[in-house]
Short mmCIF file of all heavy atoms in Angstrom, two decimals:
data_model
loop_
_atom_site.label_atom_id
_atom_site.label_comp_id
_atom_site.label_asym_id
_atom_site.label_seq_id
_atom_site.Cartn_x
_atom_site.Cartn_y
_atom_site.Cartn_z
N TYR A 639 17.39 -22.19 0.84
CA TYR A 639 18.20 -21.13 0.29
C TYR A 639 19.42 -20.88 1.15
O TYR A 639 19.38 -20.94 2.36
CB TYR A 639 17.38 -19.81 0.27
CG TYR A 639 16.19 -19.89 -0.67
CD1 TYR A 639 14.97 -20.42 -0.13
CD2 TYR A 639 16.19 -19.49 -1.98
CE1 TYR A 639 13.84 -20.52 -0.97
CE2 TYR A 639 15.06 -19.56 -2.78
CZ TYR A 639 13.90 -20.12 -2.25
OH TYR A 639 12.78 -20.18 -3.04
N ASN A 640 20.54 -20.59 0.48
CA ASN A 640 21.67 -20.06 1.20
C ASN A 640 21.47 -18.61 1.45
O ASN A 640 20.86 -17.91 0.59
CB ASN A 640 22.96 -20.25 0.42
CG ASN A 640 23.41 -21.70 0.40
OD1 ASN A 640 23.08 -22.48 1.27
ND2 ASN A 640 24.13 -22.10 -0.64
N SER A 641 21.89 -18.05 2.58
CA SER A 641 21.46 -16.73 3.00
C SER A 641 22.56 -16.00 3.78
O SER A 641 23.34 -16.60 4.45
CB SER A 641 20.24 -16.82 3.86
OG SER A 641 19.90 -15.64 4.50
N SER A 642 22.53 -14.65 3.63
CA SER A 642 23.41 -13.84 4.44
C SER A 642 22.85 -13.62 5.85
O SER A 642 23.50 -13.10 6.73
CB SER A 642 23.64 -12.47 3.77
OG SER A 642 22.40 -11.81 3.62
N GLY A 643 21.58 -13.98 6.04
CA GLY A 643 20.95 -13.88 7.31
C GLY A 643 21.10 -15.09 8.20
O GLY A 643 21.73 -16.07 7.79
N PRO A 644 20.56 -15.05 9.39
CA PRO A 644 20.65 -16.23 10.28
C PRO A 644 19.86 -17.41 9.77
O PRO A 644 18.86 -17.23 9.00
CB PRO A 644 20.08 -15.68 11.58
CG PRO A 644 19.12 -14.61 11.24
CD PRO A 644 19.77 -13.94 10.01
N THR A 645 20.22 -18.62 10.13
CA THR A 645 19.54 -19.81 9.79
C THR A 645 18.12 -19.78 10.42
O THR A 645 17.96 -19.55 11.58
CB THR A 645 20.30 -21.07 10.21
OG1 THR A 645 21.54 -21.12 9.51
CG2 THR A 645 19.48 -22.31 9.91
N THR A 646 17.09 -19.96 9.55
CA THR A 646 15.75 -19.94 10.07
C THR A 646 14.82 -20.74 9.14
O THR A 646 15.17 -20.96 7.91
CB THR A 646 15.19 -18.53 10.20
OG1 THR A 646 13.91 -18.52 10.82
CG2 THR A 646 15.08 -17.86 8.79
N ARG A 647 13.72 -21.25 9.63
CA ARG A 647 12.79 -22.01 8.83
C ARG A 647 11.40 -21.46 9.05
O ARG A 647 10.98 -21.25 10.19
CB ARG A 647 12.86 -23.52 9.26
CG ARG A 647 12.06 -24.43 8.32
CD ARG A 647 12.48 -25.84 8.51
NE ARG A 647 11.65 -26.78 7.71
CZ ARG A 647 12.03 -28.01 7.37
NH1 ARG A 647 13.23 -28.44 7.72
NH2 ARG A 647 11.26 -28.80 6.72
N LEU A 648 10.72 -21.22 7.93
CA LEU A 648 9.38 -20.57 8.00
C LEU A 648 8.38 -21.32 7.20
O LEU A 648 8.78 -22.07 6.27
CB LEU A 648 9.50 -19.12 7.49
CG LEU A 648 10.49 -18.21 8.15
CD1 LEU A 648 10.71 -16.92 7.34
CD2 LEU A 648 10.10 -17.90 9.58
N SER A 649 7.10 -21.14 7.47
CA SER A 649 6.03 -21.78 6.71
C SER A 649 5.08 -20.70 6.23
O SER A 649 4.58 -19.88 6.98
CB SER A 649 5.31 -22.77 7.57
OG SER A 649 4.25 -23.38 6.86
N PHE A 650 4.81 -20.70 4.92
CA PHE A 650 3.81 -19.78 4.29
C PHE A 650 2.91 -20.64 3.38
O PHE A 650 3.40 -21.30 2.48
CB PHE A 650 4.52 -18.71 3.45
CG PHE A 650 5.37 -17.78 4.24
CD1 PHE A 650 6.76 -17.99 4.34
CD2 PHE A 650 4.80 -16.68 4.88
CE1 PHE A 650 7.53 -17.10 5.03
CE2 PHE A 650 5.63 -15.79 5.59
CZ PHE A 650 6.98 -16.03 5.71
N GLU A 651 1.62 -20.53 3.57
CA GLU A 651 0.65 -21.21 2.70
C GLU A 651 1.06 -22.74 2.46
O GLU A 651 1.09 -23.17 1.32
CB GLU A 651 0.52 -20.53 1.39
CG GLU A 651 -0.13 -19.13 1.50
CD GLU A 651 -0.52 -18.56 0.14
OE1 GLU A 651 0.19 -18.79 -0.84
OE2 GLU A 651 -1.55 -17.85 0.13
N ASN A 652 1.45 -23.39 3.55
CA ASN A 652 1.85 -24.80 3.47
C ASN A 652 3.11 -25.03 2.70
O ASN A 652 3.46 -26.18 2.35
CB ASN A 652 0.68 -25.67 2.81
CG ASN A 652 -0.55 -25.65 3.65
OD1 ASN A 652 -0.46 -25.71 4.89
ND2 ASN A 652 -1.71 -25.57 3.01
N ASN A 653 3.90 -24.01 2.44
CA ASN A 653 5.21 -24.12 1.86
C ASN A 653 6.25 -23.97 2.96
O ASN A 653 6.23 -22.96 3.70
CB ASN A 653 5.44 -23.07 0.79
CG ASN A 653 4.58 -23.33 -0.46
OD1 ASN A 653 4.61 -24.39 -0.99
ND2 ASN A 653 3.81 -22.34 -0.87
N GLU A 654 7.19 -24.89 3.05
CA GLU A 654 8.27 -24.80 4.04
C GLU A 654 9.49 -24.14 3.34
O GLU A 654 9.99 -24.63 2.31
CB GLU A 654 8.65 -26.19 4.53
CG GLU A 654 7.58 -26.87 5.35
CD GLU A 654 7.39 -26.18 6.67
OE1 GLU A 654 8.35 -25.68 7.27
OE2 GLU A 654 6.25 -26.14 7.15
N LEU A 655 9.97 -23.07 3.94
CA LEU A 655 11.12 -22.34 3.46
C LEU A 655 12.21 -22.42 4.52
O LEU A 655 11.98 -22.14 5.66
CB LEU A 655 10.78 -20.88 3.16
CG LEU A 655 10.25 -20.51 1.80
CD1 LEU A 655 8.92 -21.24 1.51
CD2 LEU A 655 10.02 -19.00 1.70
N GLU A 656 13.39 -22.78 4.06
CA GLU A 656 14.55 -22.80 4.98
C GLU A 656 15.65 -21.90 4.42
O GLU A 656 16.04 -22.02 3.25
CB GLU A 656 15.11 -24.22 5.10
CG GLU A 656 16.30 -24.34 6.07
CD GLU A 656 16.77 -25.75 6.20
OE1 GLU A 656 16.58 -26.58 5.27
OE2 GLU A 656 17.48 -26.02 7.17
N PHE A 657 16.10 -21.00 5.27
CA PHE A 657 17.23 -20.12 4.94
C PHE A 657 18.43 -20.54 5.77
O PHE A 657 18.41 -20.55 6.99
CB PHE A 657 16.87 -18.67 5.27
CG PHE A 657 15.68 -18.11 4.50
CD1 PHE A 657 14.42 -18.18 5.05
CD2 PHE A 657 15.85 -17.62 3.19
CE1 PHE A 657 13.33 -17.77 4.34
CE2 PHE A 657 14.71 -17.20 2.50
CZ PHE A 657 13.46 -17.23 3.07
N ARG A 658 19.48 -20.93 5.07
CA ARG A 658 20.70 -21.47 5.74
C ARG A 658 21.81 -20.42 5.70
O ARG A 658 22.23 -20.04 4.60
CB ARG A 658 21.17 -22.75 5.06
CG ARG A 658 20.15 -23.87 5.13
CD ARG A 658 20.51 -25.01 4.21
NE ARG A 658 21.77 -25.64 4.55
CZ ARG A 658 22.87 -25.61 3.81
NH1 ARG A 658 22.82 -25.02 2.61
NH2 ARG A 658 23.98 -26.16 4.17
N HIS A 659 22.24 -19.97 6.86
CA HIS A 659 23.33 -18.95 6.93
C HIS A 659 24.64 -19.61 6.41
O HIS A 659 25.00 -20.72 6.79
CB HIS A 659 23.52 -18.48 8.31
CG HIS A 659 24.71 -17.53 8.48
ND1 HIS A 659 24.64 -16.22 8.05
CD2 HIS A 659 25.97 -17.75 8.91
CE1 HIS A 659 25.83 -15.65 8.20
NE2 HIS A 659 26.61 -16.53 8.76
N ILE A 660 25.32 -18.86 5.53
CA ILE A 660 26.67 -19.34 5.09
C ILE A 660 27.65 -18.17 5.27
O ILE A 660 27.20 -17.00 5.43
CB ILE A 660 26.65 -19.78 3.61
CG1 ILE A 660 26.34 -18.66 2.68
CG2 ILE A 660 25.68 -20.95 3.43
CD1 ILE A 660 26.55 -19.03 1.19
N ASN A 661 28.90 -18.52 5.28
CA ASN A 661 29.92 -17.53 5.46
C ASN A 661 29.77 -16.40 4.41
O ASN A 661 29.68 -16.72 3.22
CB ASN A 661 31.30 -18.20 5.31
CG ASN A 661 32.46 -17.26 5.73
OD1 ASN A 661 32.48 -16.12 5.41
ND2 ASN A 661 33.38 -17.86 6.46
N PRO A 662 29.75 -15.14 4.82
CA PRO A 662 29.61 -14.03 3.87
C PRO A 662 30.65 -14.08 2.74
O PRO A 662 30.36 -13.66 1.61
CB PRO A 662 29.79 -12.78 4.70
CG PRO A 662 29.35 -13.22 6.08
CD PRO A 662 29.79 -14.64 6.21
N ARG A 663 31.81 -14.68 3.01
CA ARG A 663 32.88 -14.79 1.97
C ARG A 663 32.39 -15.67 0.82
O ARG A 663 32.91 -15.56 -0.31
CB ARG A 663 34.13 -15.32 2.60
CG ARG A 663 34.90 -14.31 3.39
CD ARG A 663 36.06 -14.93 4.17
NE ARG A 663 36.70 -16.00 3.46
CZ ARG A 663 37.67 -16.72 3.94
NH1 ARG A 663 38.10 -16.53 5.15
NH2 ARG A 663 38.25 -17.66 3.21
N ASN A 664 31.43 -16.56 1.09
CA ASN A 664 30.95 -17.46 0.07
C ASN A 664 29.69 -16.97 -0.61
O ASN A 664 29.06 -17.67 -1.41
CB ASN A 664 30.64 -18.86 0.68
CG ASN A 664 31.88 -19.50 1.23
OD1 ASN A 664 32.97 -19.33 0.70
ND2 ASN A 664 31.73 -20.24 2.37
N LEU A 665 29.30 -15.72 -0.26
CA LEU A 665 28.17 -15.10 -0.92
C LEU A 665 28.61 -14.06 -1.91
O LEU A 665 29.30 -13.12 -1.56
CB LEU A 665 27.25 -14.43 0.14
CG LEU A 665 26.18 -15.28 0.78
CD1 LEU A 665 25.60 -14.52 1.99
CD2 LEU A 665 25.09 -15.56 -0.21
N SER A 666 28.23 -14.26 -3.17
CA SER A 666 28.53 -13.28 -4.18
C SER A 666 27.30 -12.49 -4.50
O SER A 666 26.18 -12.99 -4.49
CB SER A 666 28.98 -13.96 -5.48
OG SER A 666 29.07 -13.07 -6.57
N ASN A 667 27.46 -11.18 -4.76
CA ASN A 667 26.34 -10.39 -5.20
C ASN A 667 25.86 -10.84 -6.58
O ASN A 667 24.78 -10.46 -7.07
CB ASN A 667 26.74 -8.88 -5.21
CG ASN A 667 26.78 -8.31 -3.84
OD1 ASN A 667 25.95 -8.59 -2.98
ND2 ASN A 667 27.73 -7.46 -3.59
N GLN A 668 26.71 -11.59 -7.27
CA GLN A 668 26.35 -12.12 -8.57
C GLN A 668 25.64 -13.45 -8.35
O GLN A 668 26.30 -14.51 -8.20
CB GLN A 668 27.62 -12.31 -9.49
CG GLN A 668 28.44 -11.04 -9.65
CD GLN A 668 27.62 -9.93 -10.30
OE1 GLN A 668 26.82 -10.20 -11.24
NE2 GLN A 668 27.88 -8.71 -9.92
N ILE A 669 24.33 -13.41 -8.20
CA ILE A 669 23.54 -14.57 -7.80
C ILE A 669 23.73 -15.75 -8.76
O ILE A 669 23.81 -16.89 -8.35
CB ILE A 669 22.06 -14.22 -7.65
CG1 ILE A 669 21.86 -13.13 -6.58
CG2 ILE A 669 21.22 -15.46 -7.28
CD1 ILE A 669 22.41 -13.45 -5.20
N LYS A 670 23.76 -15.45 -10.09
CA LYS A 670 23.94 -16.56 -11.03
C LYS A 670 25.23 -17.34 -10.75
O LYS A 670 25.27 -18.55 -10.85
CB LYS A 670 23.95 -15.99 -12.44
CG LYS A 670 22.61 -15.81 -13.09
CD LYS A 670 22.01 -17.16 -13.44
CE LYS A 670 20.66 -16.98 -14.09
NZ LYS A 670 20.69 -16.37 -15.43
N SER A 671 26.32 -16.65 -10.39
CA SER A 671 27.59 -17.33 -10.12
C SER A 671 27.44 -18.22 -8.92
O SER A 671 27.83 -19.39 -8.92
CB SER A 671 28.68 -16.26 -9.85
OG SER A 671 28.96 -15.54 -10.99
N SER A 672 26.83 -17.68 -7.85
CA SER A 672 26.63 -18.46 -6.62
C SER A 672 25.76 -19.67 -6.89
O SER A 672 26.04 -20.81 -6.39
CB SER A 672 26.03 -17.62 -5.54
OG SER A 672 26.88 -16.54 -5.18
N LEU A 673 24.72 -19.47 -7.68
CA LEU A 673 23.75 -20.52 -7.93
C LEU A 673 24.40 -21.68 -8.71
O LEU A 673 24.22 -22.87 -8.41
CB LEU A 673 22.58 -19.96 -8.73
CG LEU A 673 21.43 -20.87 -9.10
CD1 LEU A 673 20.83 -21.54 -7.83
CD2 LEU A 673 20.38 -20.18 -9.88
N ILE A 674 25.18 -21.34 -9.70
CA ILE A 674 25.85 -22.38 -10.57
C ILE A 674 26.90 -23.20 -9.76
O ILE A 674 27.00 -24.40 -9.88
CB ILE A 674 26.39 -21.78 -11.87
CG1 ILE A 674 25.22 -21.49 -12.80
CG2 ILE A 674 27.41 -22.71 -12.54
CD1 ILE A 674 25.56 -20.80 -14.07
N MET A 675 27.67 -22.44 -8.98
CA MET A 675 28.70 -23.12 -8.17
C MET A 675 28.04 -24.00 -7.09
O MET A 675 28.52 -25.08 -6.76
CB MET A 675 29.65 -22.10 -7.54
CG MET A 675 30.57 -21.51 -8.60
SD MET A 675 31.88 -20.47 -7.91
CE MET A 675 30.92 -18.97 -7.54
N GLU A 676 26.91 -23.53 -6.56
CA GLU A 676 26.17 -24.34 -5.59
C GLU A 676 25.65 -25.65 -6.20
O GLU A 676 25.73 -26.72 -5.64
CB GLU A 676 24.98 -23.56 -5.08
CG GLU A 676 23.96 -24.32 -4.22
CD GLU A 676 24.39 -24.75 -2.88
OE1 GLU A 676 25.46 -24.21 -2.41
OE2 GLU A 676 23.80 -25.59 -2.27
N ALA A 677 25.10 -25.51 -7.47
CA ALA A 677 24.60 -26.71 -8.17
C ALA A 677 25.72 -27.71 -8.43
O ALA A 677 25.56 -28.90 -8.24
CB ALA A 677 23.95 -26.32 -9.49
N MET A 678 26.88 -27.20 -8.86
CA MET A 678 28.01 -28.08 -9.12
C MET A 678 28.44 -28.80 -7.84
O MET A 678 28.75 -30.02 -7.83
CB MET A 678 29.18 -27.35 -9.75
CG MET A 678 28.98 -26.95 -11.19
SD MET A 678 30.51 -26.29 -11.90
CE MET A 678 29.97 -25.85 -13.55
N ASN A 679 28.52 -28.04 -6.79
CA ASN A 679 28.98 -28.61 -5.45
C ASN A 679 28.01 -29.71 -5.04
O ASN A 679 28.39 -30.74 -4.52
CB ASN A 679 29.06 -27.50 -4.42
CG ASN A 679 30.45 -26.93 -4.26
OD1 ASN A 679 31.41 -27.67 -4.23
ND2 ASN A 679 30.58 -25.59 -4.26
#
Side-chain angles (χ1 to χ4, degrees):
Y639 298 83
N640 288 334
S641 167
S642 60
T645 296
T646 186
R647 188 162 175 159
L648 305 168
S649 179
F650 295 97
E651 293 192 325
N652 297 320
N653 291 306
E654 293 292 324
L655 273 60
E656 181 180 21
F657 299 94
R658 298 168 61 246
H659 175 77
I660 65 171
N661 191 317
R663 284 170 37 183
N664 297 327
L665 270 168
S666 168
N667 285 321
Q668 305 299 324
I669 300 302
K670 274 289 182 67
S671 294
S672 297
L673 182 58
I674 285 177
M675 288 187 283
E676 170 72 14
M678 285 190 183
N679 266 314

